[in-house]
Structures are given as structure tokens and as C-alpha cells.
Amino acid sequence: MEKYKFLDEIKSDVMFEAYGSNLKELFANAAEAMFTIICKIDKVKGTEVKEFEVKGENLRETFWNWLSELIAEVDIEEMFFSKFEIIEVDETHVKAKLYGSSTEPGLGETVVKSLTNHRFEVKKTDDGYKAIVSLDI
């Protein structure tokens, strides 16, 4: 199963689909896809570890909050992340360890301002889970 793929549907934003055979894979793969837009993920050293927990009322809200809070971490903590270890996840919460390092010149790629509601969805499929995410850049 592929982790994610980028879609060329819209030109002003970036859109991708993320996949996972379970929720742990879906959340990690979506975060990885997003950070390939935000930074040169393969050059980000995972030397700093951050405990991270997000909640929501349902799967859609929890997934939205997960990605939104990761975007906020880039600005607030001035960090890029390259590995996302999901410790616990269900429809109303996710707990993870984020591996990354401080933002440095030359590591940044595209500034992601936020998620958008355009086609945003998270759903169970025959193979596991699939999400469609659109990023405002």
C-alpha cells in the first residue's frame, strides 16, 4: 500500500491523499506527506523528540486537529519534523512522539498556512483508511 500521493486538482493549494492499513499508519503517513511540502524532510535530523497529544469529537475532527496542530508547531516551536511515531490513536485522540530539529535556513520548502475544507475527508475503506487533505500555501 502506498503511503500518500499528491493530486494536481488545484493550483493555488496543495492536495494529497494519505493511506493507512490502520489509523496509526494513516496519521503518520499524512503527517509525513504534509512535511514533505513544509521542509526537506530527508534532511531534517530527528535529534529532538516531542510528546504530542491531540483530541477531537470524532475521527474527522481528531485528524483535522492533528494536522492543524502540527502546522502550528512549525511556527510556535520553530521545528521541522521527519518522523511521526503514533503511540495511541482512536477516533477521539492521538498520542505521538515527533522526531525533528529546529528550523534552519535551507531546510524550509513551502509555508503551509492552514488546512482547507476543500474535499477534506477521512474514511474507512476496504484496505484500511484514506484521507484527502488540502493545504493553503
Side-chain angles (χ1 to χ4, degrees):
M1 174 184 282
E2 63 185 317
K3 291 179 166 184
Y4 53 85
K5 73 176 178 183
F6 291 94
L7 307 174
D8 292 333
E9 254 179 60
I10 48 178
K11 300 298 177 208
S12 59
D13 295 332
V14 174
M15 184 181 288
F16 65 87
E17 290 181 352
Y19 312 97
S21 58
N22 54 49
L23 287 176
K24 282 185 176 186
E25 283 184 9
L26 178 71
F27 276 67
N29 291 343
E32 181 180 316
M34 187 171 73
F35 273 85
T36 64
I37 299 298
I38 293 172
C39 63
K40 295 176 181 160
I41 196 168
D42 56 330
K43 299 206 183 312
V44 174
K45 297 179 181 110
T47 53
E48 295 181 47
V49 181
K50 180 173 177 58
E51 298 267 335
F52 198 71
E53 189 166 6
V54 175
K55 296 183 180 188
E57 294 289 319
N58 52 49
L59 179 57
R60 184 184 194 282
E61 185 177 292
T62 303
F63 189 74
W64 177 280
N65 291 347
W66 161 249
L67 295 176
S68 292
E69 292 293 328
L70 287 173
I71 293 169
E73 285 296 301
V74 173
D75 292 330
I76 295 167
E77 299 294 333
E78 296 184 345
M79 287 189 70
F80 290 140
F81 300 102
S82 58
K83 183 180 172 193
F84 309 88
E85 181 185 342
I86 309 301
I87 311 284
E88 298 173 5
V89 63
D90 61 30
E91 293 196 355
T92 59
H93 94 287
V94 58
K95 184 176 182 179
K97 285 185 181 177
L98 310 177
Y99 297 82
S101 60
S102 298
T103 56
E104 296 176 22
L107 286 182
E109 289 279 55
T110 303
V111 175
V112 173
K113 296 183 246 181
S114 65
L115 299 179
T116 74
N117 274 310
H118 179 69
R119 291 199 52 213
F120 182 84
E121 72 174 354
V122 185
K123 66 181 181 180
K124 182 124 177 67
T125 66
D126 291 341
D127 297 326
Y129 290 89
K130 173 185 167 183
I132 299 176
V133 178
S134 177
L135 304 172
D136 182 17
I137 57 172

